[in-house]
Amino acid sequence: MKYKTKSNFQNHPYHLVSPSPWPIYTSTALFTVTTTGVLSMHGFFFVGYLFFIALFNLIASMTLWFRDVISEGTKYNILYLNFKSYILKTTKVISKEDINQALINRKIIYKNISKDQLDYYLGGLLEGDGHISIPALGNTTLNRILNPRIVFTSHINNIQLYAYIQSQLGGIGRFQCNSNIIRYIIGDIKGIELIIKLLHNKLRTPKNLTFNKLIKFINEKYNFSFKESKLDKSNLLNNSWFTGFVEADGNFYIKIIESKSKSETRKISVSENISIRFRLDQRLYDKSTCSTMLPIMEEITKCFSCNLSEYKTLKSGQILSVSITSIDKLKIIIEYFNIYNLLGIKYNDFIDWKEVYQMFIDKKHLTIEGKEKIKLIKSNMNNKRIL
C-alpha cells in the first residue's frame, strides 16, 4: 500500500501529525552551531567555516520544518471530519416521556394522515430530508453485525412530527438530538423491513437507486426476497408524496418591500410592495448516487406550469429552484395541501400563508390594516416561528 493511500486510514479518532525528522535534525544543527561558535571564539583554526556550514543547515532545517507545519495546517478537512465525528458522538437520546408529550401536544394543532397515504408521504420526506446508510456485508473486527440505517433529519421544532410518524409505524426507531437538530433513526431489522414494504415503488428521485441497494443488502444478509423498487411515474398531485417532499425542502414566503424616498445615495424612490411565493429548492445532484435531480424538478414544474431556475451556493453547490408567484398557480398549491395536509410545523406556515393569500384575493393587502396584519403574520413564519 502506498503511503498516500495508507494515510487515508486512521486507527484512532484524533488527528496526529506524521513522524517528522526535523526536530532532531534542527537540534543537531543548533548544537553544532553552538559548539563551533564557542570554538571559533577561542581561536581554533578553520572552525569558522564549520560554523557557517552549521548555521546554513540550521536555517535550512527550520525552513523545511516550517514548510511542513504550514502544509499540515492546510489540511483543515481532516480536523473538521474528526471534530464532526466527535460532535456526532455527543448526541443525546430523547426520552420516551418527551416523545409522548410531543405526541400529546401535536393532537391539539396538527392534522393526521390516512394509512393509504402514509407510505407516499414517507417516500417524499425521505427523498427530501432522509438518508439511507448501507454498511459492508459481514461482521466487524469486534464481531458486531452492522445493520443499515434509515435516518430522517429535521429541526428540533419538528419533534412532534416525528413522534407522530413513530406512532404510526408501531413505535419503531429511536431519536437523537444534537443542538437544534433531531434525527429519527430506523436501524433494527424489523423497522427496515417495514420501511421497505411501505416505500416499495413509491420513490421518484435517484434515492431509489440507494433504496434498491438497501433491498439487495437485506435480501443477501437476511434471506429476504424483496423485488427491485421501480420509480413511481404516477401524477404526483394524486397522493401525499409531494407533501412529504415539501415538508423537507419547501417554503411559503411572504415578501415585504418598504417604501423608500429619493436621497443623495438613492436616485429613484422605491414604492411599498407585498408579494407571496411558494418555493421549493433541491440540490442538482443527489449526494449518495451523484445522479441529477433534474427529472423530478422538471416534473414538478410541469404540474404547476412554472419555471425552473438554477443558482449556486458555497455550501450546497448547484441548486434547482421551483418558484411560484402567480395567484392562479398558487391556488393549485392551496387546493393540493387542503387535500393532502402537511403534518409538521410547516403546516402552521401554510395556514398563515394561506390567510395572506386570501387577503390578496379580497384586495385587503392594499389597505393599511391589511398591510399591518400581513407584517404581523410574517414576523412569526418560517425561521422566526415561535408556535
Side-chain angles (χ1 to χ4, degrees):
M1 185 182 293
K2 295 181 179 178
Y3 177 78
K4 185 175 181 181
T5 306
K6 186 177 179 180
S7 64
N8 292 331
F9 298 89
Q10 201 166 338
N11 298 321
H12 46 75
Y14 306 101
H15 175 66
L16 299 176
V17 297
S18 302
S20 173
W22 303 123
I24 189 170
Y25 191 89
T26 304
S27 300
T28 303
L30 185 61
F31 175 76
T32 305
V33 168
T34 305
T35 304
T36 55
V38 171
L39 291 176
S40 64
M41 292 178 186
H42 284 76
F44 282 81
F45 294 104
F46 305 111
V47 176
Y49 298 104
L50 295 176
F51 170 79
F52 286 107
I53 293 175
L55 182 62
F56 174 80
N57 288 335
L58 176 63
I59 296 172
S61 63
M62 293 180 65
T63 303
L64 294 173
W65 190 1
F66 190 62
R67 180 207 61 182
D68 285 359
V69 170
I70 295 176
S71 177
E72 190 71 34
T74 56
K75 297 177 182 178
Y76 64 91
N77 59 317
I78 299 177
L79 295 172
Y80 170 75
L81 290 174
N82 283 281
F83 178 74
K84 184 179 179 182
S85 175
Y86 172 76
I87 292 297
L88 290 177
K89 292 178 183 178
T90 61
T91 54
K92 298 180 181 179
V93 177
I94 302 177
S95 66
K96 290 186 178 180
E97 291 75 15
D98 293 336
I99 296 299
N100 292 334
Q101 186 59 50
L103 195 58
I104 294 172
N105 295 338
R106 186 188 181 282
K107 294 179 179 179
I108 303 174
I109 303 175
Y110 299 104
K111 301 287 185 179
N112 295 332
I113 191 171
S114 59
K115 290 185 177 180
D116 64 317
Q117 291 298 318
L118 178 62
D119 46 2
Y120 288 103
Y121 176 87
L122 285 177
L125 190 64
L126 176 66
E127 296 193 276
D129 254 350
H131 173 70
I132 301 175
S133 175
I134 305 175
L137 285 169
N139 297 353
T140 65
T141 54
L142 298 177
N143 203 32
R144 293 184 301 173
I145 299 176
L146 297 179
N147 284 333
R149 298 194 311 167
I150 297 175
V151 183
F152 295 89
T153 305
S154 186
H155 194 274
I156 188 62
N157 291 345
N158 245 345
I159 179 64
Q160 296 174 353
L161 166 64
Y162 288 97
Y164 173 71
I165 291 176
Q166 186 187 48
S167 68
Q168 294 299 299
L169 296 178
I172 65 171
R174 57 191 174 86
F175 293 92
Q176 286 183 348
C177 180
N178 177 17
S179 183
N180 61 344
I181 301 298
I182 182 176
R183 293 179 179 86
Y184 176 44
I185 304 170
I186 302 173
D188 60 289
I189 188 60
K190 291 184 178 179
I192 296 293
E193 182 184 0
L194 175 59
I195 292 297
I196 290 177
K197 290 178 179 178
L198 284 174
L199 303 189
H200 198 268
N201 296 334
K202 302 296 192 306
L203 303 182
R204 296 172 177 268
T205 75
K207 270 197 174 70
N208 190 58
L209 297 173
T210 308
F211 186 69
N212 280 326
K213 290 181 181 179
L214 172 65
I215 291 175
K216 182 179 179 181
F217 179 93
I218 292 295
N219 287 343
E220 291 181 4
K221 193 164 187 176
Y222 296 100
N223 296 320
F224 285 106
S225 56
F226 291 113
K227 295 182 179 179
E228 185 178 88
S229 175
K230 298 180 181 179
L231 284 176
D232 184 7
K233 298 294 184 180
S234 63
N235 190 330
L236 61 82
L237 297 184
N238 289 342
N239 54 57
S240 291
W241 181 91
F242 186 65
T243 303
F245 200 59
V246 169
E247 197 91 65
D249 294 310
N251 280 286
F252 301 94
Y253 281 114
I254 299 173
K255 186 176 181 180
I256 300 176
I257 300 177
E258 301 288 351
S259 60
K260 297 178 181 179
S261 57
K262 292 182 179 181
S263 65
E264 295 180 356
T265 58
R266 189 181 302 106
K267 296 182 179 180
I268 58 175
S269 60
V270 178
S271 59
E272 187 178 45
N273 181 49
I274 301 176
S275 60
I276 57 175
R277 173 187 302 178
F278 170 78
R279 181 171 171 176
L280 177 64
D281 290 354
Q282 186 62 240
R283 290 187 181 95
L284 176 59
Y285 293 101
D286 175 58
K287 278 188 174 181
S288 59
T289 62
C290 296
S291 300
T292 180
M293 296 289 288
L294 187 60
I296 184 60
M297 297 300 282
E298 287 180 338
E299 183 180 350
I300 293 172
T301 58
K302 290 179 181 178
C303 288
F304 298 104
S305 301
C306 58
N307 296 322
L308 181 65
S309 59
E310 183 177 337
Y311 64 92
K312 187 175 183 179
T313 64
L314 294 176
K315 182 178 180 180
S316 303
Q318 295 296 120
I319 302 294
L320 297 174
S321 179
V322 174
S323 182
I324 305 174
T325 57
S326 168
I327 294 296
D328 294 334
K329 295 173 183 177
L330 291 176
K331 182 181 179 181
I332 303 175
I333 292 285
I334 292 175
E335 290 175 346
Y336 173 82
F337 286 119
N338 283 338
I339 299 174
Y340 303 104
N341 297 299
L342 291 157
L343 306 180
I345 195 170
K346 205 158 285 186
Y347 171 78
N348 293 334
D349 290 331
F350 169 70
I351 294 300
D352 290 341
W353 181 82
K354 185 169 69 170
E355 182 180 355
V356 175
Y357 169 86
Q358 190 59 46
M359 293 176 66
F360 270 75
I361 298 297
D362 299 334
K363 305 298 183 182
K364 292 182 179 180
H365 68 292
L366 301 176
T367 65
I368 297 177
E369 295 80 5
K371 292 177 181 178
E372 292 300 320
K373 184 176 182 179
I374 291 174
K375 291 178 181 179
L376 181 61
I377 292 174
K378 175 181 169 60
S379 66
N380 189 35
M381 284 185 63
N382 300 316
N383 295 335
K384 299 177 181 179
R385 177 164 295 282
I386 300 175
L387 297 173

